[in-house]
Amino acid sequence: MQTILGANGQIAIELAKELKKKYTSNIRLVSRNPKKVNDTDMLFSANLLDKKKTEEAVKGSDIAYLTVGLPMNTKMWVDQFPIMMRNVIDACKKHQAKLVFFDNTYMYAQNETPLTEESKFAPVGPKGKVRAEITNMLLKEMKSGQLEAVICRAPEFYGPGKTQSITNAIIFNNIKNNKKLKVFISDNTLRTLIWTPDASKAMALIGNSPDTYNQTWHLPCDDSRLTYKQFIALTSKVYGTSFQYTVVPKIAFTLGGMFKAQMKELQELLPRYKHNNIFVSTKFKNRFQDFPVTTYHEGIEQIKKE
């Protein structure tokens, strides 16, 4: 059996589809209020902050995928992520399940240096620090040999369905709601974005490839990176409409953070928009040479069709 812990987000939904399509019909979906993705899915209600419930959720699993996400709330991240990671690690060790962890890039330095699996952790704020903490927690267990696990790391998302990301929020959600598009800090820095179905498909592939374990993998992205100016121009071409946008400067977040919690929460991430973001996924592409990476043009077309 393969179990998805944190099963309601877009990454988990696409993961469940891919596991069913290519690997197994024996899938357990775990969250506080899980919902079936495939007809054969088994549902298990659990809060991963509860150690006993987490153990019950993992019991009987050959592979457990940790894809849980939390709202953009620093206190929640700091209070909850370490507990959830410890509970999941202990449950996997107890029931001898492999662990596949879906990770992000918040622990990396927010500068122009290309990011590889060997890049040092250099978090700039509390959200980055807690992501580094839980990843190091898992790396320590992997190094000890007591847990067979793999880390699948992805940069910022864009994608279909319920994809929750900054790019979806400031571009595609605004298109849908007939609002002016927004860009944070700069429209001239290169971005590396991952198509959410690609992230899930790659994670399923890694999880079901025995030679990938006890390593970190950067999930595959289109290497034809675009600035937001170019990304919006491409989106305009696909939609057949000339979309206008506003660049939101740092001062707006500083002032807005005094009144709006969301603006305050985003301030930690702003340096990444000031610099080119070069997320390198060569390791994955060399190992899985037949994996089809979705181009930005193909992804935008699919979002439009929805």
Side-chain angles (χ1 to χ4, degrees):
M1 178 169 61
Q2 301 197 22
T3 296
I4 302 176
L5 304 167
N8 284 345
Q10 190 65 30
I11 292 293
I13 290 170
E14 299 288 349
L15 175 59
K17 292 177 183 176
E18 185 71 4
L19 291 177
K20 168 72 173 177
K21 181 179 178 181
K22 292 188 176 178
Y23 303 103
T24 181
S25 295
N26 196 7
I27 301 168
R28 176 189 289 161
L29 303 182
V30 180
S31 67
R32 294 189 185 191
N33 299 290
K35 299 176 179 64
K36 283 191 176 185
V37 177
N38 310 296
D39 290 342
T40 54
D41 292 340
M42 294 169 283
L43 304 182
F44 188 93
S45 179
N47 183 344
L48 298 181
L49 294 171
D50 185 318
K51 184 178 179 66
K52 185 176 180 181
K53 271 291 191 181
T54 303
E55 288 181 354
E56 293 175 6
V58 171
K59 186 177 181 179
S61 304
D62 298 306
I63 303 172
Y65 300 83
L66 181 56
T67 63
V68 67
L70 290 174
M72 191 67 74
N73 180 301
T74 297
K75 187 177 188 307
M76 191 176 289
W77 282 39
V78 171
D79 291 347
Q80 297 186 17
F81 269 136
I83 296 172
M84 286 191 277
M85 177 59 86
R86 174 46 57 193
N87 287 346
V88 170
I89 286 172
D90 290 346
C92 288
K93 288 167 68 174
K94 180 175 181 177
H95 295 297
Q96 297 183 315
K98 294 180 180 180
L99 176 58
V100 179
F101 175 44
F102 183 70
D103 199 8
N104 68 21
T105 61
Y106 283 29
M107 75 292 293
Y108 285 145
Q110 296 187 31
N111 55 35
E112 299 219 354
T113 305
L115 300 172
T116 71
E117 289 85 351
E118 286 73 43
S119 294
K120 301 290 186 183
F121 292 177
V124 299
K127 285 187 282 292
K129 288 176 181 176
V130 77
R131 294 299 304 196
E133 177 187 347
I134 64 174
T135 303
N136 281 325
M137 191 187 303
L138 180 55
L139 286 168
K140 183 178 178 181
E141 295 289 345
M142 290 162 60
K143 188 175 181 179
S144 74
Q146 297 183 52
L147 175 68
E148 194 168 2
V150 63
I151 296 170
C152 298
R153 186 165 293 138
E156 185 186 326
F157 313 146
Y158 81 110
K162 297 192 298 181
T163 296
Q164 293 186 15
S165 73
I166 290 174
T167 297
N168 269 59
I170 64 179
I171 295 180
F172 298 110
N173 291 359
N174 282 342
I175 290 174
K176 183 178 179 181
N177 295 320
N178 294 314
K179 294 182 178 180
K180 193 171 186 178
L181 281 53
K182 295 179 181 178
V183 171
F184 292 168
I185 308 303
S186 172
D187 63 349
N188 285 314
T189 54
L190 293 173
R191 317 261 26 99
T192 307
L193 304 175
I194 192 165
W195 179 246
T196 46
D198 283 2
S200 300
K201 291 174 183 178
M203 183 162 49
L205 179 56
I206 289 171
N208 286 278
S209 300
D211 67 310
T212 63
Y213 279 80
N214 299 320
Q215 301 176 58
T216 296
W217 295 83
H218 277 189
L219 299 179
C221 305
D222 182 358
D223 287 334
S224 300
R225 299 172 184 88
L226 303 174
T227 65
Y228 269 128
K229 183 176 183 178
Q230 294 169 329
F231 189 87
I232 292 172
L234 179 58
T235 302
S236 296
K237 181 179 178 181
V238 171
Y239 277 74
T241 302
S242 181
F243 292 116
Q244 303 301 308
Y245 63 92
T246 299
V247 177
V248 184
K250 184 178 179 180
I251 187 65
F253 291 90
T254 303
L255 296 173
M258 299 170 64
F259 307 101
K260 295 182 180 180
Q262 188 178 31
M263 295 284 275
K264 185 177 181 180
E265 291 289 346
L266 286 169
Q267 289 184 45
E268 179 183 335
L269 309 179
L270 296 182
R272 68 173 57 198
Y273 296 98
K274 182 179 179 182
H275 303 286
N276 290 335
N277 176 243
I278 310 299
F279 179 88
V280 181
S281 48
T282 303
K283 177 181 175 180
F284 178 94
K285 290 168 184 172
N286 287 340
R287 169 62 181 82
F288 300 103
Q289 296 183 18
D290 295 330
F291 187 94
V293 178
T294 302
T295 67
Y296 291 117
H297 193 283
E298 291 168 340
I300 294 167
E301 280 190 326
Q302 187 167 328
I303 293 173
K304 183 194 174 206
K305 288 177 182 177
E306 286 192 334

